Amino acid sequence: MVKRIAVMTMVGVAFVALGAAGAVGLCDYKPPQTDLTSLWLSGNYRYFNDPATPGVDVNAGRAMLALNKLFDSPGFGYTLSGLGELGLVNLGLASITAQGAGTVRYYFVPGEPFFGFGGLNAGYATGQPQPGITLSVGAGYGRFADVTPLAKAFRIQKLLLDRKVLSRELSDEVLLAVSAEIGRWPEYAAGKDPLDAAKDLAAVVVVLIEQGAGVSVDPRSILAVEDEIIATGEERYCGWSIQGGLGYELVDPYGGQQDVVVTLSTDAAYAPAPGAQLLFRAVATGPFDIANEHTLSATLSYEQALSATSALQGNAAFQRVKPLGSDPKDSLSVNAQLAFTLGKANLGIGLALSRAADATGWSTDLSLSVAVKVL
């Protein structure tokens, strides 16, 4: 343990230059490898029967599944994203919106952001005769990073400030040293009980804080640090990538000819604070005359923690299909809810807006909802 503490003290010194550059942000953290998975299942339903009117006034709801998977290492990476939504009326299926994408990246030089890729994109919305599916290859630029360890370091700092253990915020070099050690959690947890691993890791983290801030951390606060280390469900990551190439249209959404197409896409992830996460993806495919014939899809999700037991969550999905010589068909789905944690489930008030491709207006649903984070 003494040897480990000495090593960690040296790690803290190594971060001095970075800390001197200014206030550190979550996206300043660069781990050697990133592996994150998020899977949300949510839904809402309303039933309202006014005796003054004939029949049931409202008997509708919607269910949504959102998946995000990110893996990134020095020489290889991949991303998976999916968003599916079912609209129900009178217990029957009324509308479908589904988007899915997967990209595999090979970095030409390990550690550098230039890469070659292969990807598959698929999308379907009510009004389309069939799904659109495109296989693509090309090149791009960008990387992603799991910044959860630094987010945990910020949360540990906050709990120590709230407990009056710290009188001021930790220096950037101490925060980065703490996050670097938290990032080694898989090494601590290998072959150990998670609680024992958390105790070992917390012991090193506390020494880094005590030496860096000149304070003494009491036993109850050490237990709180252990709880934060093993806490799950608040993963954060940052980064972006842009890529372009050629693809082959395996299935045309309107039954047209299968052609070689141009494909352009961009992904972005940003964590503005330990309690917030923003994700974005956009994909455009079409022939060489992409301006006049294309399929464009985009997804956006945001999560903002409001307290230890509540959060604001939102997802949006847009798809435009523009056949050659025809007007574009647009579909848009927006879902937002104020969620309250109850175990693994979040209960809350939800607002959903959607417009199908052939609809003349928006449908609105305000109701109680439930969301469960499966992974």
Side-chain angles (χ1 to χ4, degrees), residues 123-330:
Y124 177 79
T126 301
Q128 291 179 210
Q130 60 188 1
I133 305 176
T134 303
L135 182 67
S136 59
V137 295
Y141 181 93
R143 275 191 177 272
F144 293 89
D146 178 6
V147 300
T148 305
L150 184 53
K152 286 181 177 288
F154 274 113
R155 287 193 284 266
I156 288 172
Q157 172 183 259
K158 183 178 184 305
L159 72 87
L160 294 180
L161 286 169
D162 292 343
R163 290 169 172 266
K164 308 301 182 182
V165 175
L166 294 175
S167 58
R168 62 181 184 276
E169 294 183 348
L170 297 170
S171 64
D172 288 352
E173 58 267 27
V174 174
L175 281 169
L176 289 169
V178 168
S179 62
E181 192 65 15
I182 294 175
R184 299 181 59 200
W185 168 254
E187 299 177 32
Y188 282 88
K192 286 185 180 181
D193 179 273
L195 294 179
D196 292 335
K199 289 181 180 180
D200 293 341
L201 178 51
V204 179
V205 166
V206 167
V207 169
L208 286 171
I209 293 173
E210 289 180 334
Q211 292 183 345
V215 299
S216 178
V217 182
D218 62 278
R220 288 184 178 274
S221 295
I222 293 176
L223 292 176
V225 171
E226 294 176 12
D227 291 339
E228 181 56 54
I229 287 173
I230 62 176
T232 59
E234 293 187 351
E235 292 80 8
R236 300 288 178 253
Y237 55 106
C238 291
W240 60 273
S241 69
I242 185 169
Q243 56 197 38
L246 296 178
Y248 182 70
E249 199 172 31
L250 299 178
V251 180
D252 185 279
Y254 282 85
Q257 184 179 353
Q258 295 170 283
D259 295 317
V260 174
V261 297
V262 177
T263 176
L264 303 170
S265 68
T266 183
D267 294 270
Y270 180 60
Q277 180 72 71
L278 178 69
L279 303 174
F280 174 76
R281 176 172 176 81
V283 181
T285 60
F288 291 102
D289 186 16
I290 193 171
N292 294 312
E293 183 180 359
H294 58 262
T295 298
L296 171 65
S297 62
T299 58
L300 177 69
S301 65
Y302 182 75
E303 179 180 355
Q304 173 67 61
L306 303 179
S307 69
T309 58
S310 64
L312 178 65
Q313 303 161 349
N315 293 279
F318 171 79
Q319 185 173 72
R320 163 169 287 189
V321 178
K322 173 64 173 69
L324 184 63
S326 301
D327 292 333
K329 300 285 187 178
D330 294 343

Side-chain angles (χ1 to χ4, degrees), residues 53-132:
T53 60
V56 176
D57 296 89
V58 179
N59 186 10
R62 62 185 62 249
M64 186 178 68
L65 184 70
L67 167 69
N68 286 287
K69 170 69 176 179
L70 168 66
F71 177 85
D72 198 86
S73 66
F76 170 78
Y78 66 88
T79 56
L80 298 173
S81 64
L83 181 65
E85 184 176 284
L86 302 179
L88 306 174
V89 176
N90 296 325
L91 300 180
L93 185 61
S95 63
I96 299 175
T97 300
Q99 296 178 21
T103 301
V104 177
R105 298 181 300 276
Y106 172 77
Y107 294 97
F108 298 120
V109 178
E112 296 298 321
F114 294 99
F115 61 85
F117 76 89
L120 182 70
N121 299 292
Y124 177 79
T126 301
Q128 291 179 210
Q130 60 188 1

